[in-house]
């Protein structure tokens, strides 16, 4: 059986990846099902343990609510609840294709998901279950990028797979949609990401990953087959380390 380049990974998906493209929000069941199929295929074929953090921007984004006059903490709490909706949708799609899954939330809601417990999460992964971390860190003012970095370190993941959804297939010297001369990096150090102000993850997450020697692979997760290619070690996306 083929093996993954990494034994345990954390996949970061934005909420926008789940959005219905016709309206730019909501949940597109077809997209969620395809992503679930790719995750399940990778677990089965590559002997890899996969944890997932999903955002909530397709439903509600805390920063946007705050920009319209809402209390920031309240808006962020609403955003964290939006991630739970996406996590449950992804769990349903994964289990529909036969992949055992657990959702763990940083805000307790025992009727719908387990509370986040690090040792329980790692045990689920060891048993071949996909674990979806929802509700962010449980605290306002922190993004799901920071959640991904924190959870990856806690479960001792080997890498964060940062899946992009807008057709950008890695880290570029400039926005490739605005600058035709922008070049893609195959690899780039953390400090260059910070110094150049490149948009990979938020600064808190990047700094945390640097301090904890946690590499980030940025790749286009919306292209069918890319998740398996990335895990198999093919030259895909940009490795930040």
């Amino acid at each position: 059986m083929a093996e993954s380049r990494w034994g345990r990974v954390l996949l970061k998906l934005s909420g926008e990846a789940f959005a219905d493209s016709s309206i730019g929000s909501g949940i597109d069941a077809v997209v969620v099902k395809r992503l679930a199929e790719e995750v399940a295929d990778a677990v089965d074929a590559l002997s890899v343990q996969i944890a997932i953090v999903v955002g909530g921007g397709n439903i509600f984004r805390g920063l946007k609510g705050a920009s319209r006059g809402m209390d920031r903490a309240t808006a962020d709490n609403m955003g964290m609840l939006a991630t739970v909706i996406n996590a449950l949708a992804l769990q349903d799609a994964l289990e529909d294709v036969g992949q055992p899954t657990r959702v763990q939330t940083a805000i307790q809601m025992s009727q719908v998901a387990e509370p986040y417990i690090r040792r329980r999460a790692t045990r689920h992964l060891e048993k071949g279950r996909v674990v979806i971390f929802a509700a962010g860190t449980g605290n306002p003012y922190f993004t799901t990028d920071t959640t991904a970095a924190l959870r990856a370190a806690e479960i001792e993941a080997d890498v964060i797979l940062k899946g992009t959804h807008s057709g950008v297939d890695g880290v570029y010297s400039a926005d490739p949609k605005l600058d035709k001369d922008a070049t893609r990096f195959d690899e780039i150090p953390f400090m260059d990401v910070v110094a150049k102000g490149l948009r990979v993850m938020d600064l808190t997450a990047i700094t945390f990953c640097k301090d904890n020697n946690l590499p980030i692979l940025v790749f286009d997760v919306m292209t069918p087959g890319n998740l398996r290619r990335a895990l198999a070690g093919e030259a895909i996306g940009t490795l930040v380390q």
Side-chain angles (χ1 to χ4, degrees):
M1 180 179 290
E3 291 190 359
S4 169
R5 177 180 180 183
W6 301 283
R8 178 179 293 170
V9 305
L10 187 139
L11 174 63
K12 171 60 169 67
L13 298 173
S14 69
E16 287 87 349
F18 287 14
D20 183 336
S21 59
S22 65
I23 57 175
S25 61
I27 297 176
D28 187 330
V30 174
V31 171
V32 175
K33 180 181 180 181
R34 185 187 65 75
L35 289 171
E37 289 172 341
E38 293 212 17
V39 170
D41 174 68
V43 172
D44 180 61
L46 299 177
S47 301
V48 62
Q49 298 175 9
I50 300 180
I52 302 173
V53 169
V54 62
N58 56 319
I59 299 171
F60 188 86
R61 184 179 292 280
L63 277 175
K64 183 173 289 187
S67 71
R68 294 175 178 173
M70 290 186 68
D71 174 76
R72 173 65 187 273
T74 299
D76 280 354
N77 283 333
M78 293 172 64
M80 285 187 275
L81 295 178
T83 71
V84 178
I85 295 174
N86 283 338
L88 293 176
L90 182 57
Q91 178 185 41
D92 181 75
L94 283 163
E95 295 192 341
D96 190 55
V97 296
Q99 172 58 54
T101 309
R102 297 291 187 272
V103 173
Q104 292 195 344
T105 61
I107 298 172
Q108 289 201 30
M109 45 188 77
S110 57
Q111 289 88 344
V112 297
E114 296 180 0
Y116 170 65
I117 300 173
R118 181 180 65 87
R119 288 181 180 272
R120 182 178 290 178
T122 56
R123 185 61 176 151
H124 287 319
L125 292 168
E126 289 166 357
K127 289 186 174 182
R129 299 165 184 152
V130 169
V131 180
I132 307 170
F133 299 121
T137 65
N139 302 287
Y141 296 95
F142 292 94
T143 67
T144 50
D145 279 350
T146 299
T147 302
L150 177 62
R151 294 290 183 254
E154 288 180 306
I155 66 171
E156 299 181 336
D158 300 311
V159 67
I160 295 175
L161 302 181
K162 167 74 171 178
T164 64
H165 65 280
S166 55
V168 178
D169 59 348
V171 180
Y172 283 76
S173 58
D175 187 339
K177 294 184 176 181
L178 302 177
D179 185 351
K180 62 181 179 61
D181 295 321
T183 57
R184 183 172 67 82
F185 301 101
D186 293 327
E187 293 189 16
I188 186 170
F190 284 114
M191 290 309 299
D192 284 3
V193 170
V194 175
K196 298 175 185 294
L198 301 177
R199 297 180 64 182
V200 177
M201 300 173 82
D202 68 70
L203 185 59
T204 302
I206 288 292
T207 303
F208 183 93
C209 289
K210 175 184 177 297
D211 290 344
N212 290 277
N213 298 313
L214 186 57
I216 307 165
L217 180 66
V218 183
F219 73 108
D220 180 8
V221 75
M222 302 305 286
T223 298
N226 264 6
L227 176 59
R228 184 164 176 173
R229 294 186 192 103
L231 289 168
E234 293 187 23
I236 185 172
T238 301
L239 185 63
V240 183
Q241 61 181 354

